[in-house]
Amino acid sequence: MSDGSEREREYYRAIEDLFATLRGVPHILSSKDFQLMRQWWREEVPLSAVRSGITEVFARRRERGEPDPVVSLGYCRHAVRSHAKRIAEMQVGAPGSAVEAAPVDVSAKVEALADELGDIASRHRSERPRLTEVLERIADTVAAAAELPDAVLEEHLFALESALLANCLDALDDRQRATIENRAREEAESTSTTAEARDRAFRALRDRLLRAELGLPRLEIGS
């Protein structure tokens, strides 16, 4: 097997793994999805652009409260193109390398976040094996984000945090999930006046309660 063929397969595997992680369930990509991945590979679309585009789509759908899952890479093609364009623009005039690497301290913070998620996963291994699996997949995805340019890293981590919360909520059993959602709904209905405001408050409160229940960190670099 040639080195080029292996790198191409690794490119496809990385995209498949990320897509499955963000969905929270195993997923078989369609022939059209593979054609799109092949097109990205042939056009030399950076893997970082593909990752950022996919996570952005998942995050936006969750923010809008859309229940339908992302079932195809085709939903992500415009976001991937946008991120690829941004990275290409960053390359212009950059000395030495096409994309400037993240400073060591930023990389260390990203790695620390991944390690923290791994530690949380270990604490839940015996009682919540499904949750542990979700946390370990997200931890691996966070660790891979260290390769991203500074200009897109924070945005990428924000999208991953949205996926983290959604997948962790789904990984809870029905009773645990209902407890969190009922508490969030009761508080939202007591403090909000309009249906839209109640819906926004419910999602924010639900995420806050879930984060407190599991001890989840915020996926951000900060200053």
Side-chain angles (χ1 to χ4, degrees):
M1 180 184 300
S2 68
D3 180 60
S5 297
E6 180 57 31
R7 286 188 291 108
E8 183 175 356
R9 286 181 173 81
E10 290 175 356
Y11 184 89
Y12 297 158
R13 279 197 295 268
I15 296 172
E16 289 182 275
D17 290 347
L18 175 62
F19 195 80
T21 294
L22 296 179
R23 290 205 71 209
V25 294
H27 181 73
I28 299 176
L29 296 177
S30 68
S31 58
K32 288 185 178 180
D33 290 329
F34 278 101
Q35 290 173 8
L36 184 56
M37 286 194 296
R38 189 174 297 113
Q39 177 183 337
W40 288 336
W41 171 258
R42 291 174 177 173
E43 293 178 356
E44 299 182 354
V45 175
L47 183 57
S48 58
V50 178
R51 283 172 168 157
S52 295
I54 293 173
T55 50
E56 177 186 310
V57 169
F58 275 85
R60 285 182 176 177
R61 291 179 73 89
R62 185 169 190 268
E63 288 171 7
R64 293 194 293 261
E66 297 181 9
D68 295 333
V70 179
V71 297
S72 170
L73 286 177
Y75 286 91
C76 310
R77 63 184 184 279
H78 297 303
V80 169
R81 185 181 300 116
S82 176
H83 281 278
K85 182 179 179 181
R86 288 177 59 188
I87 291 176
E89 289 171 348
M90 290 167 56
Q91 293 176 351
V92 177
S97 63
V99 177
E100 184 179 352
V104 173
D105 60 337
V106 173
S107 295
K109 289 181 179 179
V110 173
E111 292 172 3
L113 286 173
D115 290 342
E116 186 173 357
L117 289 174
D119 290 341
I120 297 170
S122 297
R123 293 201 294 270
H124 291 284
R125 190 176 305 280
S126 60
E127 297 182 358
R128 295 168 168 167
R130 185 182 170 199
L131 177 65
T132 293
E133 182 181 349
V134 166
L135 288 167
E136 288 177 340
R137 289 203 309 266
I138 296 290
D140 290 342
T141 308
V142 170
E147 71 183 45
L148 296 174
D150 289 356
V152 299
L153 179 58
E154 285 283 7
E155 181 180 338
H156 184 73
L157 289 176
F158 175 79
L160 282 178
E161 178 166 305
S162 181
L164 170 68
L165 293 170
N167 289 335
C168 284
L169 184 67
D170 288 343
L172 298 179
D173 63 39
D174 292 341
R175 180 187 59 81
Q176 294 167 335
R177 189 183 313 111
T179 298
I180 289 175
E181 291 185 335
N182 289 339
R183 285 181 58 191
R185 186 170 292 107
E186 289 175 3
E187 188 170 343
E189 290 178 350
S190 67
T191 59
S192 305
T193 55
T194 67
E196 183 179 356
R198 286 194 296 271
D199 187 51
R200 288 198 304 269
F202 165 72
R203 293 199 298 269
L205 290 164
R206 179 195 59 195
D207 290 350
R208 187 184 71 188
L209 291 169
L210 176 65
R211 195 187 300 279
E213 170 69 21
L214 301 180
L216 299 175
R218 291 191 177 276
L219 302 186
E220 57 188 15
I221 299 301
S223 57

